[in-house]
Each structure stands twice: as C-alpha cells, then as structure tokens.
Amino acid sequence: MTSSAASAHIDDHPDHPLDATERRALRDEALELLRKLVRNACVNDLTPDSGQEERNADTLEEYFAGAPVSIRRLEPRPGRTSIIVTVEGEDPEAEPLTFLGHTDVVPVDEPRWTTEPFGAEVIDGKIYGRGTQDMLGITASMAVVTRRIAESPRRPKGTLTFVGVADEEARGGLGAKWLSEEHPGEFSWRNAVGERGGAHIRPADGTDHVTVTIGEKGAAQRRLHVTGDAGHGSQPYGVTSSIRRIGVVAQRISDATPPVSQDGVWENFVRVFDFDGATLAALAEGSPNAYEAFGDLAGYAYAISHLTVSPTVVRAGEAINVFPSSAHLDLDIRTLPGQTDDDVDAYLRGVLGDIAEEVRIERLISEPASLSPTGTPVFEAITETIAEFFPESTVLPIISGGGTDLRFARRLGGVGYGFALNHRDRTFAHESLRGHGHDEHLHLEDLELTVAAYLRLTERVLLSGRTRRGF
C-alpha cells in the first residue's frame, strides 16, 4: 500500500462512531479482500458462460475459513456460483438481516484505462479496478462485517446472511433471480441490504442529505414492428418504405414527453432543493428545460419523474439493393412504481396516434417497478446509523433508474434498501455518473465509512433484538 493510501481515513471527529484504530482495521481487512476480488476478473459479458464467479466464491469461502459460519454454494450453470454465508441467530422472532452483494463485473475497454483494470492498484487514497465501485467494495465490506459478527462473543439475536451473488449485471438470471425462484427458502429475503445509496445531495441552501435507495424503476422493453413493400432498390416509385415508417415511429416516440410522476418519492426529492414557484410550476408541467435547475442531477431527476422511453436499436434490411419488407425499433422503457404493461402500451399507442394501427407492439423483458416502505425496523436502523456518522444531515429516500438484485427481495414480500456510506465530498451527482466507466475507482475513505456503517447497522438490527412487526 502506498503511503498516501495508508493515511487515507475518516477524519477523527467525535461524531464518528467506532474508534479510529478499529475503523482502519476494518477498512484494511476489507481492502485486502477487495483487491483479491478485483483481481479474479469475473467479467460478465451477458453470455451464459462468462462471469465465472466461482473464482470470487472461492476467495470468499477462503476468507471465511475457520469462522463459525455455515457456507453453501449454489450454481445453475458450471462456474456461475453464488455463495451463501450464514450466522445463525438465537431468536427466531428477531429481525434477520441479509447482505446481497454481487461478485460479477462488467467488461472493460482496456485501451481507455490509465491503470490496469484488474490490478487493484492503490494510488493517492483510491483503489482502481473494474468492480471497485460496482459493487465489489460493498461486497467486501459486507463479508468483513459478517465475519466480525460471527466471531463476536455476543451471538446475534437475529440471523445474519451474506450472499455473494452471481450474474447481477445480466439482470440476475443465473444469480438472484434464479435463487429467488429455485431456492427461495435458502436464506431470508425479509430484510435485504444491497447497492447503492450513501451519497450526498447538497442544494444551494447548504443542507446535506444522504441518499438511501428504497426502490427502483421497472423494465418494459418493447419492439415496435412495421411492414412495407419489398422490391428492387433501383425502382423506388410507389414503394411503401418500411424504413420510412420506422423513422416516423422513432420520431414520434422521441418527441413525446410522458406525464410527470405524482408519487411521494419524487415530491420529497424536489422539496429538498427549495425551488422558487416558477420552477416548481415548470416541473409540474413537465417542461424539459425546467430540469436544468437540478444542475448535474438533471438527467437523474428527469428519469425518476417520468416513464422513460428510449429508442436504442433499429433493424431493417440486409442487401443494399433490396427494399426491406419489415423493420423494427427497440425501446428501453423504464416504468415508475404503479405503472403496468398495459399502461405502457396505451401510452405508446397514444403517441403513435394515427399510425398506431400500422405498428405491432411486441413485449420483451417486462418487470414491474418495486418500492419498499420506510416505516420498517431496518430502515429505522439505517436512519439511526447515518445520524451517527452525519448528525447534521437528513436521510433522503430515493429510487434508482436501473435495476438491482434487491427487487427480488421485494418480489418475495421482503424489503430491500440500497445503503452504503460516502464521504461528504462524494455527491450523488458524482457517484451516479461514475458507474461502469473507465478508470473505475473507490476512495478508501468511502470503503472505511461503508464497512464501519455496516457494522453499526448490523449491531443495531441483530444485537438489539428488534422484533418483527407487520409492514
């Protein structure tokens, strides 16, 4: 470790729980594990035999060797291994807690990196490498806290489970989705904590708000089909062109703006910024220009306030001298909580207007949005934990524009919260723009904060014996 890395730690303020020596010991243990996970290079290119997360499962099993835990490995396909580590609680009525951390990473464009993508180099207080931010740093922190609880002289009242999940980057078909469908009773999905959260939003008034992700938008992918006349490219007279038709479809979809969300999560998000009346009115009307008031968060704000419909793929024709008789346009559509597949199709037909009857709508991947309530024991424990580290900040529940494994916990009747913790300098805008980028890195300050916060959260939930209640 470089000297600058060794000195990177949370400032020793009295409002930070755990003493400095313990925090750094936790961080260093998580860092050592994180470097191994990164170097295993479990790259998921969305094909069934990529990922090979068994390498990270092996590393995690080796890390837990000798600890008083039970370990189970499951794989739907050779090499696509998820590992389940359980610390059994003593009270079946106490709240359980499950850490969901995925172990696969996305591919890299290596020439665009200035560091070795799988070298796990520590430079100037940051660790560089694919997966450090998404989400091996969180996964390593979860594992370290699980081992710490397992080795504590105090047995937890509720059961703690750490799951190193495969295939998250491909929507969980060989990971959390498969586990939730084929092995739903293997561990508790009642209270799940995963990515992301913990970044800061600081509006112009100087207040600080720490994000916790309580839900995520759904997927409603569509393929729009049109037909036209086939014929030789040398004779265009009178031809009904499928390419022209799909172009009109794309234009109408792109020019339309869906209605603005009316849900409480969006309203609370807007309230944080204390906008003037004119800006609030423009946002309520859905004026695209109004989102400039959010600055770097404009793209995120627009995404969480609307059904979003993005044309991403168009296909037509094969030979340059032949008019194609069909064409299709693929749409990446993300739904808000409460919006259904029928709602999406009705919106598309409304936008297409007089050409709607000429367009066939095919449903591709469809998953509903999911949302967890905030009046639960685990969310309360998260709020209390954030208050320990940032006593002058408020907690801001948000939803994610993309998908995570937490949706499977919600689907099975549990709750799922994206929670980590970042230094005040790491704003939500900064963090949301870094996902899957070149030179991916994680500040050691944030690793230290996250592992310390997970320990305090786990102690709150499992050692306090919080009892279950309906929600």
Side-chain angles (χ1 to χ4, degrees):
M1 183 183 300
T2 65
S3 58
S4 59
S7 63
H9 58 82
I10 307 168
D11 295 336
D12 294 330
H13 294 313
D15 58 331
H16 287 137
L18 308 178
D19 65 63
T21 299
E22 185 175 10
R23 292 198 311 267
R24 289 169 210 161
L26 286 167
R27 181 206 65 188
D28 290 346
E29 189 172 338
L31 177 61
E32 181 180 359
L33 178 58
L34 172 57
R35 298 182 84 172
K36 293 177 180 178
L37 297 176
V38 170
R39 288 167 178 164
N40 284 334
C42 296
V43 178
N44 187 345
D45 65 10
L46 311 189
T47 59
D49 292 319
S50 66
Q52 293 301 301
E53 295 91 343
E54 67 177 345
R55 295 193 292 271
N56 273 340
D58 290 343
T59 295
L60 289 165
E61 186 167 6
E62 178 183 342
Y63 170 74
F64 281 103
V69 299
S70 64
I71 296 177
R72 180 122 156 91
R73 294 166 63 120
L74 295 169
E75 58 180 31
R77 190 178 183 91
R80 307 308 302 271
T81 311
S82 294
I83 184 170
I84 303 164
V85 181
T86 304
V87 183
E88 200 66 40
E90 62 181 8
D91 180 1
E93 293 302 313
E95 288 289 347
L97 183 66
T98 297
F99 284 133
L100 282 179
H102 70 79
T103 58
D104 60 327
V105 301
V106 297
V108 299
D109 183 0
E110 191 162 354
R112 303 288 298 275
W113 284 60
T114 62
T115 62
E116 165 57 44
F118 302 103
E121 299 177 70
V122 176
I123 304 170
D124 295 331
K126 292 172 280 192
I127 175 171
Y128 286 80
R130 177 56 90 214
T132 50
Q133 187 204 31
D134 183 15
M135 65 172 287
L136 298 180
I138 290 176
T139 300
S141 298
M142 291 172 168
V144 167
V145 168
T146 300
R147 176 156 189 148
R148 178 64 64 94
I149 294 296
E151 295 178 335
S152 169
R154 294 178 62 191
R155 183 181 173 189
K157 292 181 171 59
T159 294
L160 173 63
T161 308
F162 161 73
V163 191
V165 188
D167 202 37
E168 190 275 345
E169 298 294 355
R171 301 192 65 83
L174 298 173
K177 183 176 187 293
W178 178 78
L179 288 169
S180 68
E181 293 173 350
E182 301 298 326
H183 300 275
E186 192 67 38
F187 57 88
S188 174
W189 297 84
R190 179 178 171 87
N191 299 307
V193 171
E195 59 181 335
R196 175 159 301 275
H200 298 260
I201 293 178
R202 295 196 299 272
D205 64 4
T207 57
D208 183 66
H209 308 267
V210 180
T211 61
V212 177
T213 306
I214 65 170
E216 57 200 62
K217 296 181 77 176
Q221 296 176 353
R222 294 294 187 270
R223 178 167 290 166
L224 306 187
H225 297 265
V226 299
T227 59
D229 296 333
H232 200 286
S234 65
Q235 298 186 34
Y237 181 79
V239 169
T240 299
S241 169
S242 64
I243 291 178
R244 181 184 180 282
R245 280 185 164 179
I246 205 67
V248 173
V249 169
Q251 186 71 53
R252 293 194 181 185
I253 294 293
S254 299
D255 288 347
T257 300
V260 177
S261 169
Q262 301 298 316
D263 69 31
V265 177
W266 167 242
E267 292 175 354
N268 288 337
F269 183 80
V270 173
R271 194 173 295 117
V272 160
F273 292 85
D274 196 25
F275 291 135
D276 59 62
T279 301
L280 291 174
L283 288 170
E285 293 172 0
S287 170
N289 292 336
Y291 287 83
E292 295 176 4
F294 289 101
D296 290 342
L297 286 172
Y300 170 79
Y302 186 89
I304 66 166
S305 62
H306 290 82
L307 171 79
T308 53
V309 183
S310 301
T312 53
V313 178
V314 64
R315 292 279 188 270
E318 295 181 8
I320 196 170
N321 62 343
V322 178
F323 283 108
S325 59
S326 64
H328 70 254
L329 175 70
D330 288 354
L331 305 175
D332 182 9
I333 301 177
R334 304 301 174 110
T335 56
L336 291 168
Q339 293 176 330
T340 67
D341 278 324
D342 289 342
D343 293 333
V344 171
D345 290 348
Y347 169 78
L348 293 175
R349 292 190 186 97
V351 168
L352 294 172
D354 61 346
I355 63 171
E357 294 303 316
E358 302 171 12
V359 181
R360 178 169 66 88
I361 299 174
E362 178 188 358
R363 294 181 180 180
L364 303 178
I365 292 176
S366 293
E367 293 185 301
S370 64
L371 193 67
S372 295
T374 55
T376 68
V378 171
F379 188 84
E380 291 173 0
I382 288 173
T383 300
E384 293 166 7
T385 300
I386 292 172
E388 270 193 301
F389 289 84
F390 299 104
E392 297 179 359
S393 303
T394 59
V395 173
L396 179 63
I398 62 169
I399 64 171
S400 170
T404 73
D405 285 338
L406 290 172
R407 70 188 186 278
F408 300 111
R410 301 185 189 108
R411 198 171 295 175
L412 289 175
V415 297
Y417 303 109
F419 171 60
L421 215 53
N422 294 342
H423 189 273
R424 290 182 189 274
D425 291 343
R426 246 69 72 203
T427 65
F428 182 71
H430 176 267
E431 291 300 294
S432 62
L433 293 174
R434 288 200 302 130
H436 295 184
H438 309 309
D439 284 341
E440 182 180 352
H441 61 272
L442 176 68
H443 289 260
L444 299 190
E445 291 172 316
D446 297 342
L447 182 65
E448 184 173 326
L449 273 167
T450 294
V451 68
Y454 282 167
L455 180 59
R456 296 295 292 127
L457 172 67
T458 306
E459 290 173 343
R460 274 193 166 80
V461 175
L462 301 182
L463 300 184
S464 68
R466 294 179 187 233
T467 55
R468 306 186 185 197
R469 63 174 184 263
F471 54 80

